[in-house]
Amino acid sequence: MKAIRRFTVRTVLPEQLQPLHELALNLRWSWHPETRELFRSVDPGVWEAVGEDPVRLLGEVPAARLAALAADRRFLRRLGDLADDLHDYLSAPRWYQSAQPLGEGVGPLPSAIAYFSPEYGITAALPQYSGGLGILAGDHLKAASDLGVPIIGVGLFYRHGYFRQSLNRDGWQQERYPLLDPDELAVSLLREPDGTPCRVDLALPAGRTLAAQIWKAQVGRVPLLLLDSDVEANAAAERDVTDRLYGGGSEHRLLQEMLLGIGGVRAVRTFCRLTGHPAPEVFHSNEGHAGFLGIERIRELVAPGSDTPDFAAALEAVRAGTLFTTHTPVPAGIDRFDRELVSRHFTGDAALPGVPVDQVLALGVETWPGGDPKLFNMAAMGLRLAQRANGVSTLHGEVSRSMFSALWPGFDAAEVPITSITNGVHAPTWIDPAVVRLAAAQVGAERADNAMITGTDQRWTGVETIGDAEIWEVRRALRAQLVDEARRRVRASWRQRGAGDAELGWTESVLDPDVLTIGFARRVPSYKRLTLMLRDQDRLRSLLLHPTRPVQIVVAGKAHPADDGGKRLIQQLVAFADDPAVRHRIVFLPDYDMAMAKHLYPGCDVWLNNPLRPLEACGTSGMKAALNGCLNLSVLDGWWDEWYDGRNGWAIPTADGAGFDEDHRDDVEAAALYDLIEHQVAARYYDRGPDDLPHGWISMVRHTLVTLGPKVLAGRMVREYVQKLYAPAALAQRELADDGAQVLARWKAKVREAWPAVRVEHVDAACPAETQELGSALALRVQVALGTLEAVDVDVQVVSGAVDETDRIGAAEVQTLKPVGGPDLDGRQRYEGTLELSRTGPFGYTVRILPTHPLLASAAELGLVALPQETPGMDAGLLR
């Protein structure tokens, strides 16, 4: 029978145990081992049964056990110490509070940063994530907390989270969406002083309203605000807007993203009003899903009585303090909506006051060749609304500059204003305690903790002195721990698939704690190539069943519920793993999540990653594995492309040149993978000394910990965001205070109107010969027409460098030319300079004119450039 009403019955803790409630509601417990151990000691059996979730633990521990703990002096002393430790963590100055401004006149670091993401992977006990984007966002907040960076996180609260995965008898992925009860989670409802729940409202077409309440999760020092549309004020359709992560059709997704962006800004304002938290100076959009936050901030600025009365000035003010991070390596990964659908949600009853719908649509229009003018592109809007943007690895920065270069026509991809900050992972979350103890025994607990948090070290010195036997003992223990977990999960999976206990005796011998273990776990889109390992199944079997150097493989991953192609890949892998001949050597573990990952990363010897290069934006799973002494075996993509050094793992060769179709490429790269595993990876692992230790392998593990450990940290990543992006954005925001935004907007309008008349009219280099001597110099004289602009509005540059067979300039050097005298009778201005010939071989140059202003973040910001027209009298600018 179905209940007519549902509510939660809470345990009343004895007064002496009240600090347990405080510890449970701050998610720092998820990365603080001592607090987790305290909760485990409350009732180890219940702790395991509730999935190591303190909130559920406190709801299910018998009253008699609580009464006993309330009288246990030793437990109360531990509880008091950990409560005091949390208070110190929340209040004491940390790295950010002692960090210095970046230069003279820069001013203080941002008073606060608002960080928007559609998903957050904080802990398995708060399932609001689907994959890498959410895990990265969670690690960003945790590292910010450890460093004392004043971030406010903003997201959505999904009542069903992401799906739970199981398999049917045929190995086909099944999805279920358990209902999440916020009263059973480490969240609390944000309330007004009179106790009523805070609410944000969005106007929708036809007089409808989308209302949302605000749940707050406390991530250490960082508040995370999660908007929830499941409120009585909403009609049924609106209540379901936040039903599940990445579900529903186009309009459903649009409403989610409007609530995240527009509603998220309103939630931040509400939170700051109620708590006194400083208002954010910088707004960071983690991917394009939150792009509408910029539209809402413009609305705030053009509201009646504002100091920024027009859209253009408000746009400049918003751009200055906005950062956009793209994680997308392919255009197909970008959210795009029908233009008419977006228009309908920003007109009539749904219009934002002072924000014309045509201005909104212009921000997302695809103006470039091949773009679809009928679609609204969220990434294009995100980039147009942000003065600063970045990719998430060095290679991904290059890919992003090329992919989005059409937004800056006339500029080479290298000059597109998208930088990169390589992702990192939160070490206290992902390093197994056994590895931490191993390091702490050598360098001390305090130094080990500091090294994991701040990310300031270039090397983890001291770790290199840990003995081979100690390292190998820990690695084997972690592998055995994974084997036990895998056996439990395989058995549970087969039961779900319909097998009886009598059929499952074989699961007790699945995997072997002494066999080389390879891990592969991630989402299952086609480009990640889950089944590349199956390309030659006979070859794979021979590796798994090798008589003296066997390997075993642990695989996990989820396909999007609408991705039947991904589900077929899982089914193919499962069909191979079901074969009785190999099922003790390869397993697929359903329902990949953070809880499983914490066993996988430490327990594997090798972490496999074989995407189609360059489609992996970063790929942080390999970083988490490396922190535990696992070696990477990966295509040179994402982070591995910049940090592989030949001693921390292996690089899978790629066949991404001309002449390779997809099938041929998979064949070639799979063959290379098999060869690497057999002749290098397994050979190194099983090469034992007289003491039966693989000293060569252990040397690679030690080198990985010493050199990769400091690089892959989220602490390093967040510090780079502060120094390279947050602080400059806050400075730009301050510089546009008062009438600065209005001045910049008027200047941009003037430049855009005048630019059609700006021309390079004549270039003279006094260069009679096509061959010049190294070290010589060319005297350049250039005449330009500036129309109604003045010399102060432009930068006239010579761009030079080596040229290829098509006369394209590579590795270009840029030099500014100086104006000489005033304009002539025809209004032309003369510029001069000297070009040093500092390299041999084919060499070329060109001249260009760019707009310039002290408040621009990049010379390419306006996307305007004037280049010489090829005319018979124009100097060719080519030297050999």
Side-chain angles (χ1 to χ4, degrees), residues 248 280 310 319 439 446 628 775:
D310 66 82
R319 291 187 72 252
E446 183 175 355
N628 288 282

Side-chain angles (χ1 to χ4, degrees), residues 386-532:
Q387 197 176 50
R388 287 164 181 81
N390 71 287
V392 292
S393 68
T394 299
L395 179 59
H396 181 239
E398 296 174 10
V399 170
S400 298
R401 287 188 287 275
S402 177
M403 185 167 71
F404 294 115
S405 62
L407 287 168
W408 291 270
F411 289 88
D412 289 342
E415 293 186 291
V416 167
I418 300 176
T419 185
S420 64
I421 291 180
T422 302
N423 283 343
V425 297
H426 185 244
T429 294
W430 299 110
I431 296 185
D432 191 274
V435 180
V436 177
R437 289 192 295 269
L438 180 68
Q442 196 70 27
V443 304
E446 183 175 355
R447 185 179 164 198
D449 286 345
N450 289 338
M452 288 193 301
I453 288 171
T454 60
T456 54
D457 297 335
Q458 297 302 309
R459 292 170 60 87
W460 277 354
T461 54
V463 173
E464 65 264 39
T465 62
I466 301 174
D468 284 11
E470 289 86 351
I471 290 176
W472 192 242
E473 180 182 353
V474 169
R475 292 296 314 145
R476 190 189 184 282
L478 294 174
R479 198 181 311 112
Q481 178 181 287
L482 171 60
V483 168
D484 288 344
E485 178 70 6
R487 288 173 179 173
R488 182 185 70 80
R489 287 179 178 268
V490 168
R491 188 175 186 87
S493 174
W494 273 89
R495 282 190 179 128
Q496 285 184 318
R497 296 172 69 184
D501 287 343
E503 304 174 66
L504 298 178
W506 62 271
T507 60
E508 296 303 318
S509 59
V510 162
L511 306 183
D512 184 327
D514 291 312
V515 167
L516 170 62
T517 304
I518 299 175
F520 183 102
R522 50 191 41 87
R523 290 184 303 111
V524 190
S526 60
Y527 79 88
K528 291 182 183 284
R529 297 193 294 184
L530 168 71
T531 56
L532 185 69

Side-chain angles (χ1 to χ4, degrees), residues 731-796:
L731 175 62
Q733 177 85 7
R734 294 166 194 153
E735 288 179 331
L736 292 189
D738 300 324
D739 63 346
Q742 195 75 259
V743 169
L744 181 58
R746 284 198 295 262
W747 178 83
K748 284 189 174 182
K750 177 186 77 170
V751 169
R752 290 189 177 103
E753 182 178 1
W755 203 255
V758 175
R759 297 186 303 276
V760 178
E761 294 208 334
H762 185 72
V763 180
D764 179 20
C767 177
E770 287 195 3
T771 301
Q772 297 290 312
E773 294 183 355
L774 180 67
S776 61
L778 301 180
L780 292 174
R781 293 181 293 277
V782 180
Q783 281 188 325
V784 302
L786 299 181
T788 58
L789 299 181
E790 302 176 19
V792 71
D793 296 319
V794 301
D795 189 16
V796 179

Side-chain angles (χ1 to χ4, degrees), residues 165 172-173 524-526 530-531 557-560 562-572:
Q165 179 197 47
W172 188 257
Q173 173 179 292
V524 190
S526 60
L530 168 71
T531 56
K558 292 179 176 180
H560 188 280
D563 181 11
D564 282 351
K567 293 180 184 181
R568 278 191 290 273
L569 296 178
I570 291 174
Q571 188 178 42
Q572 292 167 22

